[in-house]
Amino acid sequence: MKRVRLFLAVLVATAVVVWPTGHTTTPAVHIGQQPTLTLPDLRPHLEAFEQIAQAHGGHRGHGSPGYAASVAYVEQKLIAAGFKTHRQQFTWNRDDGINLIADWPGGDPNDTLMIGAHLDSVARGPGINDNGSGSAMVLALALAVAATGHRPQRHLRFAWWGAEELGLIGSAHYIRMLTPESTKQIRGYLNVDMIASPNGGHFVYNSDNPIERALMSYFTARSIPTYAIPYEGRSDYAMFLRAGVPVGGVITGTREIKTEQFAAWWGGTAGAPFDPCYHQACDTNANINETVYLHSSNATAHAFWTLSHGPWEAH
Ligand code: DTR
Ligand code: ZN
Ligand code: ZN
């Protein structure tokens, strides 16, 4: 009888250790230390994007080897950090397009927080402000989530969109491929496009939702003036908005001219464009305002971290 009891004890112990009960339990919620993104977190990715463009015909446009190399660069960093990555293929203008989607394991998939940036440039140049700045920030944020072991109640999904410059093609494909149920699982989407303009400022989408409030709390806490801009449907947030997903984000300006008032608020040159190299070959690493970039990056990181847990409407 004693031998039987011993056998059963070993069997149970083995069953617990070797044969789990068939369902994976989500790791306990752990709120990691909110990161402060620094230039060493961001610049290496911007420099990699410019080197990729230089090695592949001068740009990272949809369907080009430069775009494919940009996807591979971001993907390998994410996989090394423990993300589950997925290349979502689509075709546009007879060229193969790719959205790179990365899910951080854990969290409630029915309550997903998303952040995204388009990874493609125009065919005229390397696209470092537009939109290496956004792509690098989203990558640095994802790596910070992994490094801090951040495991909030919400599921976290990161995206790098293809073919934005051709008309929001990649993000439109992503939304089109969602079912109504999976669309409802997305609690909110933060868009990150052009956040380091050389003569830039701090524009916040006039979302009137928890995303805008979380973004504004960063700037208000530092007494940094901001200017609310309406949705114009000119970046990847547009497709999420049309699908009924709450959206938000910041932008530091494109070819529009900086006014005297804005120069008084943010410095820089009145009467000149926020980004004189918008969609030009000179959109290189020299086309980055580091002060503006750090504020817009950390405002977005603060909002994402804040919104990753807690009651949505309480924000
Ligand atoms: N279409 C973006 C630039 C752009 C224009 N308006 C906005 C508003 C919000 C974000 C981005 C933009 C591009 O050239 O990539
Ligand atoms: Zn852009
Ligand atoms: Zn652009």
Side-chain angles (χ1 to χ4, degrees):
M1 187 56 183
K2 195 174 173 187
R3 191 173 296 202
V4 168
R5 270 206 303 271
L6 179 62
F7 171 72
L8 285 175
V10 169
L11 188 65
V12 166
T14 310
V16 167
V17 173
V18 176
W19 297 305
T21 48
H23 69 273
T24 53
T25 50
T26 307
V29 169
H30 166 70
I31 304 303
Q33 173 69 33
Q34 178 183 311
T36 298
L37 299 179
T38 62
L39 290 173
D41 295 317
L42 297 161
R43 272 289 188 195
H45 306 315
L46 295 185
E47 282 151 16
F49 292 143
E50 186 165 352
Q51 285 157 19
I52 284 168
Q54 286 166 346
H56 296 91
H59 70 89
R60 302 180 302 107
H62 164 69
S64 72
Y67 183 74
S70 301
V71 171
Y73 172 82
V74 175
E75 183 182 57
Q76 53 94 14
K77 297 278 182 195
L78 292 165
I79 291 171
F83 283 83
K84 182 175 177 300
T85 64
H86 168 62
R87 289 180 175 222
Q88 184 183 51
Q89 314 269 356
F90 61 88
T91 302
W92 184 259
N93 286 352
R94 293 185 295 280
D95 282 323
D96 292 337
I98 305 169
N99 291 326
L100 181 63
I101 312 294
D103 286 273
W104 179 238
D108 178 1
N110 294 310
D111 190 8
T112 293
L113 181 63
M114 270 194 88
I115 185 167
H118 74 86
L119 185 57
D120 63 311
S121 74
V122 292
R124 271 201 202 149
I128 300 306
N129 181 37
D130 184 20
N131 185 37
S133 65
S135 299
M137 183 269 152
V138 175
L139 177 55
L141 179 67
L143 297 179
V145 164
T148 59
H150 188 46
R151 290 198 181 279
Q153 83 196 53
R154 296 206 159 88
H155 180 70
L156 305 179
R157 181 170 296 147
F158 303 77
W160 290 263
W161 306 118
E164 186 271 354
E165 298 289 8
L166 302 182
L168 319 181
I169 307 304
S171 53
H173 178 77
Y174 176 79
I175 293 290
R176 200 168 40 249
M177 299 310 285
L178 292 177
T179 63
E181 295 72 33
S182 51
T183 305
K184 289 193 188 77
Q185 289 177 329
I186 305 173
R187 177 63 67 128
Y189 169 72
L190 280 85
N191 193 60
V192 195
D193 187 359
M194 298 192 68
I195 62 168
S197 305
N199 190 32
H202 295 295
F203 298 96
V204 182
Y205 308 176
N206 190 13
S207 312
D208 191 20
N209 63 20
I211 302 173
E212 182 186 14
R213 288 190 284 274
L215 288 165
M216 287 301 296
S217 67
Y218 173 89
F219 292 108
T220 307
R222 292 160 181 80
S223 305
I224 298 173
T226 58
Y227 190 83
I229 54 169
Y231 293 135
E232 299 170 306
R234 292 173 57 190
S235 190
D236 294 305
Y237 66 81
M239 296 301 157
F240 287 83
L241 187 65
R242 191 182 297 178
V245 175
V247 303
V250 299
I251 179 173
T252 53
T254 64
R255 59 163 62 101
E256 293 88 358
I257 301 301
K258 179 176 269 187
T259 64
E260 293 291 345
Q261 174 62 69
F262 287 152
W265 277 4
W266 300 317
T269 308
F274 293 105
D275 182 353
C277 289
Y278 177 62
H279 287 186
Q280 305 300 318
C282 57
D283 187 5
T284 66
N285 267 282
N287 191 48
I288 296 294
N289 179 319
E290 292 180 341
T291 304
V292 160
Y293 190 27
L294 288 171
H295 279 314
S296 47
S297 293
N298 282 294
T300 306
H302 166 72
F304 187 82
W305 220 266
T306 302
L307 294 166
S308 66
H309 56 96
W312 181 258
E313 286 309 330
H315 296 296

